[in-house]
Amino acid sequence: MGKKPTTNYIIATVMAFNAGTRKVVLKARGAAISKAVAAAVMVRDRFLPGKVNIKEVKLLSDKVQGQGGRERTVAAVEVVLEMA
């Protein structure tokens, strides 16, 4: 997940499932975490109701290079969606 609108990620996820993919992992860190959660819930509840389940949610932390070359820790999440 990145800076694009949440609907872009929802459409890409739905298209992947419609193409036959059985599992999609949405990964995000920092401020994009809310987009990943919103996309997962929208796919499950609105776009493919009864067909997709949220199988797993992993809470992680990533180390990234901050300004001035300093390393900092950023919260991250992985949401695993699977066909029911």
Side-chain angles (χ1 to χ4, degrees), residues 11-41:
I11 292 167
T13 302
V14 171
M15 287 177 59
F17 281 126
N18 287 338
T21 303
R22 302 287 306 161
K23 179 168 104 172
V24 174
V25 180
L26 301 176
K27 297 180 182 182
R29 64 181 183 201
I33 289 174
S34 61
K35 283 186 183 184
V37 172
V41 171

Side-chain angles (χ1 to χ4, degrees), residues 13-72:
T13 302
V14 171
M15 287 177 59
F17 281 126
N18 287 338
T21 303
R22 302 287 306 161
K23 179 168 104 172
V24 174
V25 180
L26 301 176
K27 297 180 182 182
R29 64 181 183 201
I33 289 174
S34 61
K35 283 186 183 184
V37 172
V41 171
M42 293 287 282
V43 169
R44 181 192 66 185
D45 294 345
R46 284 196 175 177
F47 290 88
L48 298 171
K51 296 179 183 177
V52 173
N53 294 322
I54 297 175
K55 194 70 171 174
E56 186 177 5
V57 177
K58 294 180 187 176
L59 302 176
L60 311 163
S61 60
D62 284 343
K63 293 190 187 292
V64 296
Q65 203 89 23
Q67 290 179 335
R70 292 185 9 196
E71 190 175 87
R72 62 188 184 110

